[in-house]
Amino acid sequence: MPKPLPTPSLPTGSGSRAQVDVNGWPAILGAVLLGTIGVLLFIIQPGIVQAYVTHLGLTEAVAVNLAGIEMLGVALATIFMAIRGVGFDWRHVVAAGLITAAAGDFGSLGGGHGVSFYGARFIAGLGEGTIISISFTFVGVTVRAERNVALYLSLLLTYGAFGLWYLPLFLSAFGLGAMFAGFGGLSLLALLTLPLLPRAYSAEAMANPEARQLPRSLLVVALGGVLAYNIAQGIAWAVLFLVGTGAGLAEQSVADALFLSQILAVGGALASVFLAGRIHRNAAIAFGILAGAGSIALLVGRPGMALFVVGVCGFNALWNFVLPFILGRVCDFDESGQMMSYAIAMQMIGLGSGPLIAAQLLDGTGYRAAELVCIALFIVSYGLLLLPIRRHAALRSRAPRLG
């Protein structure tokens, strides 16, 4: 798992009157709820893409591109927060993010009206990315970070499972407008969690016994591996529902398969927590990435229901299993403790650009090109990560870190 950041130190002065116990259950649950609000749409993105096709009459390429526009907003907000976010009052930032996300959702109520709809989804993405960044950081600075990350992932994946399962029925009964209005209302309701947030934290270098300083060139290679992995994830996640319906499966059957995959993803996330320290991190990374590529390979062509279920379940469970190991190992490549923020930025860029790339690969004849590019990026990501992994292993075997 990623190494926890130091416990937040609250600013002194008038802002310190409302002291927050960041390790208390109210604060932790507030951060977990905020994190779930931040991914309300992304975690059910395959179903949303299908809804853009069936309810707005968009082509598949346009629908995937629209999802990518929103994720671009998420990526840009996360990058900004990684570079400058530490200097701001967290409560003010989260409030702005929640209001921005709500504005984008309420601005989407017309649905499918060209540039205005694209703009509304981009604005929603900016708000969502801000919320995701703060909530992820907050959970990471708690003392029992592994437990709290597991709680975080379990809640959002459980929501994702039931959201994907029920989405076709909900949209048939109420339409996209009701969904966007509900998301906007939940974002505004989440303003109630603001008093549970600390104002800020000051990050200091951590004592990480596994950290070894790699050359800057290898740090760039490692971040390239994180980026390639998440581009592959972004491509796959955007087209999974389309792959199922394109193979002749009923929408609700595809939703059922994705529901099961989200349930198993909870297991994958929890497995990464319980197995951390018990299995070799490098072996977990190799298995998770390459087996993930194999899961997507099962979906090439026109998979039957059984093969589709195996493929999407393997993909989703392995995604949530291996990502903490990847982030944890990347943090071991730099002794300053700054790699996590850069890696999270690469993750958001990858997830944001994945749908935009996938949209260019859909020509109306199938999904083979998108699937093959996804598989290739998985393999490239492992190859890129393998170079710094080997150098890190060599440095560790040469001499133990002192201090």
Side-chain angles (χ1 to χ4, degrees), residues 9-401:
S9 58
L10 300 179
T12 59
S14 61
S16 64
R17 287 196 298 267
Q19 294 288 333
V20 172
D21 178 8
V22 296
N23 296 301
W25 277 112
I28 292 169
L29 292 177
V32 168
L33 288 172
L34 278 174
T36 305
I37 293 293
V39 297
L40 279 175
L41 191 138
F42 171 71
I43 207 68
I44 58 171
Q45 189 182 80
I48 298 297
V49 170
Q50 179 65 27
Y52 288 158
V53 173
T54 57
H55 291 266
L56 298 182
L58 304 180
T59 65
E60 293 177 345
V62 172
V64 172
N65 191 58
L66 181 55
I69 291 294
E70 180 168 353
M71 287 305 300
L72 178 62
V74 172
L76 291 176
T78 308
I79 294 168
F80 176 80
M81 292 302 298
I83 298 172
R84 298 294 302 276
V86 173
F88 297 110
D89 186 312
W90 279 10
R91 295 183 189 178
H92 294 166
V93 172
V94 170
L98 290 169
I99 293 171
T100 301
D105 287 328
F106 287 125
S108 303
L109 293 182
H113 294 296
V115 175
S116 63
F117 190 55
Y118 272 73
R121 297 322 304 157
F122 177 75
I123 289 170
L126 290 174
E128 292 159 3
T130 303
I131 302 164
I132 292 169
S133 179
I134 293 294
S135 60
F136 189 95
T137 303
F138 186 7
V139 171
V141 303
T142 55
V143 171
R144 299 188 62 182
E146 291 84 358
R147 180 203 64 185
N148 298 333
V149 167
L151 179 63
Y152 185 6
L153 292 175
S154 297
L155 177 61
L156 69 90
L157 290 170
T158 300
Y159 152 72
F162 285 96
L164 281 168
W165 176 61
Y166 186 63
L167 187 63
L169 295 175
F170 177 89
L171 293 178
S172 295
F174 304 105
L176 273 171
M179 181 194 72
F180 287 130
F183 287 170
L186 288 171
S187 294
L188 294 179
L189 189 62
L191 290 168
L192 296 174
T193 66
L194 292 181
L196 303 178
L197 287 175
R199 295 286 185 179
Y201 81 95
S202 58
E204 301 171 356
M206 296 173 297
N208 178 3
E210 293 196 23
R212 299 293 185 277
Q213 187 62 52
L214 299 190
R216 181 172 298 180
S217 59
L218 282 180
L219 296 181
V220 172
V221 170
L223 291 174
V226 175
L227 177 63
Y229 179 79
N230 284 284
I231 292 175
Q233 296 291 357
I235 291 173
W237 194 235
V239 303
L240 278 183
F241 211 114
L242 300 177
V243 169
T245 55
L249 305 177
E251 281 193 27
Q252 191 57 54
S253 296
V254 175
D256 292 343
L258 289 170
F259 166 77
L260 178 60
S261 79
Q262 290 286 75
I263 295 297
L264 293 178
V266 176
L270 293 176
S272 70
V273 174
F274 294 123
L275 294 177
R278 295 182 174 87
I279 61 175
H280 198 283
R281 185 177 286 167
N282 296 345
I285 291 172
F287 170 74
I289 295 178
L290 298 179
S295 297
I296 296 300
L298 296 176
L299 304 177
V300 175
R302 292 177 59 87
M305 188 63 196
L307 202 58
F308 182 77
V309 169
V310 172
V312 297
C313 287
F315 162 80
N316 213 352
L318 290 164
W319 178 6
N320 288 278
F321 167 76
V322 76
L323 184 59
F325 288 106
I326 293 175
L327 295 176
R329 181 55 82 205
V330 167
C331 288
D332 293 338
F333 299 155
D334 175 50
E335 293 180 342
S336 73
Q338 297 179 5
M339 279 292 280
M340 174 60 81
S341 61
Y342 297 137
I344 295 299
M346 291 300 103
Q347 180 187 7
M348 291 298 114
I349 293 172
L351 293 175
S353 59
L356 297 175
I357 294 172
Q360 310 309 311
L361 300 172
L362 302 181
D363 57 5
T365 63
Y367 313 97
R368 182 182 296 271
E371 291 164 330
L372 293 179
V373 169
C374 177
I375 293 169
L377 283 169
F378 272 128
I379 296 172
V380 168
S381 72
Y382 180 64
L384 289 173
L385 289 169
L386 192 59
L387 295 174
I389 282 174
R390 286 182 170 176
R391 174 66 69 85
H392 176 264
L395 290 175
R396 285 196 66 204
S397 63
R398 192 173 303 166
R401 182 181 177 186

